[in-house]
Amino acid sequence: MQISNVTSGHMAKMSMQLNQSEAKTNSFSDAIDKAMNDKDTKELKKACVEFESYFLQLMLKEMRNTVTSKDGALPKGQEEQMFQEMLDEENSKNIASGRGIGLADMMFRQMTKNI
């Protein structure tokens, strides 16, 4: 995207996404800190799985961004984009709650060494 094509709408959307991402990151950080302080391994494992799920969601979103809407038969509308984001979120939760990609397990093992 060229800078000249950036509108105030694009800037507002990017700002909102950054704020949501920061809030999500802070909530993970708070959950992990609380679990570590309370020495609660169940809550720590839950926070690690949630982090892995969020990581997978971001990865799916970025992978999808590499495919332009021109590649499909029809251009994507806002409704389809919203549905796709919700589907990616659910898929990432399902992947992480199963065996996942191992990120949650590695984080959990590393953090439980400090408990």
Side-chain angles (χ1 to χ4, degrees):
M1 174 191 301
Q2 293 179 350
I3 293 177
S4 62
N5 292 341
V6 175
T7 64
S8 61
H10 286 101
M11 295 301 288
K13 184 178 178 182
M14 290 186 331
S15 176
M16 185 176 75
Q17 288 173 342
L18 278 173
N19 289 340
Q20 288 173 343
S21 182
E22 265 184 46
K24 194 76 161 173
T25 303
N26 289 339
S27 89
F28 291 130
S29 178
D30 293 344
I32 288 172
D33 287 344
K34 184 177 180 338
M36 294 288 284
N37 290 335
D38 296 346
K39 298 183 190 284
D40 188 349
T41 56
K42 287 182 183 179
E43 285 300 313
L44 181 59
K45 180 68 173 180
K46 181 180 170 186
C48 290
V49 169
E50 287 178 14
F51 180 82
E52 181 175 354
S53 172
Y54 183 63
F55 175 80
L56 288 168
Q57 182 182 353
L58 290 176
M59 188 173 71
L60 289 171
K61 179 181 177 183
E62 291 305 316
M63 287 170 48
R64 197 166 310 288
N65 285 341
T66 65
V67 180
T68 64
S69 61
K70 295 175 189 172
D71 292 340
L74 298 171
K76 292 183 180 180
Q78 283 184 318
E79 297 83 8
E80 184 178 356
Q81 191 174 13
M82 186 184 325
F83 174 78
Q84 192 65 62
E85 288 173 6
M86 290 171 23
L87 183 62
D88 287 347
E89 182 177 356
E90 286 303 310
N91 284 336
S92 66
K93 286 179 185 177
N94 289 334
I95 293 168
S97 66
R99 288 193 52 185
I101 59 172
L103 180 61
D105 290 334
M106 289 189 319
M107 288 174 59
F108 180 75
R109 281 195 310 265
Q110 186 67 32
M111 290 180 185
T112 53
K113 289 179 182 178
N114 298 330
I115 293 182

